[in-house]
Amino acid sequence: MTMSSRHAHSTDPIAAFRRAEELLSRRRPLEALDALRAVLDAGSTGGSPDASVHLLAGRAYLDSAQLRKAESAFGRVIEIDPADHYARFALGKALQRLGLLAEAETQLKIASAMDPRPEYQEALGEVRARIALADDDTP
């Protein structure tokens, strides 16, 4: 067994989470999801992973273009912590990539109202511009 596969299947949820964070920072989202698998699976068998686990999984899903899974993971974070502005921003980005512009706009407006970071404002402007273009194309 190689060192990386031993880390990826660690039974220690904290070690698995840290390994997944490190992999995601190195732009290896599929490996990050593999590292998180045991933590996420534990949640489906009765325990509930906390918001940070779902947030990290959502980021990995978004980075690997698994947009419906990203939507679900970020939605779970918001269920746990409705005040998580980053989860709302990331959910908005996933919805935008899915072409669900009105839903994306809603989440990005909430994120921007909670924390007016430039990247949130920029994403909201981009979605609004796409909505305006789509409206212009409608007869």
Side-chain angles (χ1 to χ4, degrees), residues 1 3 5 7 28 40 42 45 51 74 76 88 90 93 98 100 108 115 118 122-125 132-133 135:
M1 179 182 281
M3 183 125 161
S5 63
H7 283 297
R28 296 166 72 176
L40 291 168
T45 59
F74 294 130
R76 183 70 184 114
R88 290 188 181 276
K93 295 299 284 182
L98 284 164
L100 302 171
L108 293 168
D115 188 336
E122 184 179 314
L124 180 57
L133 283 173
D135 289 345

Side-chain angles (χ1 to χ4, degrees), residues 4-71:
S4 63
S5 63
R6 196 174 13 177
H7 283 297
H9 299 290
S10 173
T11 56
D12 174 12
I14 294 170
F17 183 87
R18 288 186 180 143
R19 176 75 178 142
E21 278 184 317
E22 186 260 327
L23 287 163
L24 196 55
S25 74
R26 293 186 355 209
R27 301 199 188 287
R28 296 166 72 176
L30 296 175
E31 291 176 55
L33 287 166
D34 188 44
L36 276 179
R37 188 80 47 224
V39 181
L40 291 168
D41 289 347
S44 66
T45 59
S48 180
D50 69 9
S52 62
V53 174
H54 291 289
L55 189 63
L56 187 60
R59 290 176 47 216
Y61 287 132
L62 191 60
D63 287 356
S64 61
Q66 297 180 65
L67 302 176
R68 288 289 179 191
K69 289 182 178 182
E71 177 187 10

